[in-house]
Amino acid sequence: MYVPKSYQVTDRDLLFQFIRDNPFALLVTTGDDGVPVASHIPIELLATDGDQFQLVGHLAKANPQWKLLGRDTPALAVFSGAHSYISSSWYDHVNVPTWNYLAVHITGRTSFLTADETLAFLRQQVDKHEAYSKNPVSVESMTEEFVRKEMRGIVAFTMTIDSVQGAAKLSQNRDDKNYRAIITELEQQGNTDADAIAKEMVCRRPQTDV
């Protein structure tokens, strides 16, 4: 993706934590006809050996995109975070509106998981996300026969992390006065994304008095 230098995020730990916090991704592959194919799916960042990591996810078997996995052509996983419209009316000078956002792109090659690997992954994924439920369920609470039957309807895959790009477009190019004004306006929007962007802006320029 196109990321001006001032908006680039290169800290590996920050990028990986962003993926953990925003696991619902867009998986993009290229079809035989050269047309891109995309699916919105949860994709987890999991450790392998040492300090290495990989992405792991699954597609419905009814989704023909799975047939494009396991090839030499790399796939793209797009992880999106908070985003918000920035009105130029918030500045003390004439300018154009823009959009602030957080995103990470990963490219890599995919391969398929075995049935046992898929089962282990599902256990881990369900436990992670059920941790926030009042009455959590688990793969262990279901019979293995039932789970393996349900697994016939999915295709699980891993994806290498060959390249990582992070973008945090947060009005870094604005002076302190206009930066403060943007934060104030975002905090008054009354929506979750605007609040999240405002908090990120405060964290990244903590000397800003808001």
Side-chain angles (χ1 to χ4, degrees), residues 3-71:
V3 188
K5 189 173 182 179
S6 59
Y7 304 142
Q8 291 177 5
V9 180
T10 57
D11 186 300
R12 177 184 171 99
D13 292 336
L14 288 177
L15 293 171
F16 283 2
Q17 188 58 49
F18 180 87
I19 292 171
R20 295 185 189 97
D21 294 339
N22 300 275
F24 195 67
L26 181 68
L27 178 69
V28 184
T29 53
T30 304
D32 294 330
D33 54 3
V35 176
V37 180
S39 294
H40 298 267
I41 59 173
I43 299 179
E44 307 295 338
L45 176 74
L46 300 180
T48 55
D49 298 327
D51 63 348
Q52 300 301 306
F53 291 84
Q54 64 182 350
L55 299 180
V56 187
H58 69 267
L59 291 166
K61 204 163 192 177
N63 181 346
Q65 187 180 9
W66 75 264
K67 298 177 182 179
L68 301 175
L69 302 178
R71 301 184 175 190

Side-chain angles (χ1 to χ4, degrees), residues 64-83:
Q65 187 180 9
W66 75 264
K67 298 177 182 179
L68 301 175
L69 302 178
R71 301 184 175 190
D72 289 336
T73 304
L76 168 67
V78 178
F79 299 86
S80 299
H83 59 91

Side-chain angles (χ1 to χ4, degrees), residues 108-129:
R109 286 171 172 76
T110 57
S111 59
F112 297 107
L113 294 182
T114 66
D116 288 343
E117 290 171 336
T118 300
L119 180 59
F121 164 62
L122 292 175
R123 286 193 181 107
Q124 188 171 357
Q125 185 180 43
V126 171
D127 287 346
K128 172 187 173 183
H129 295 289

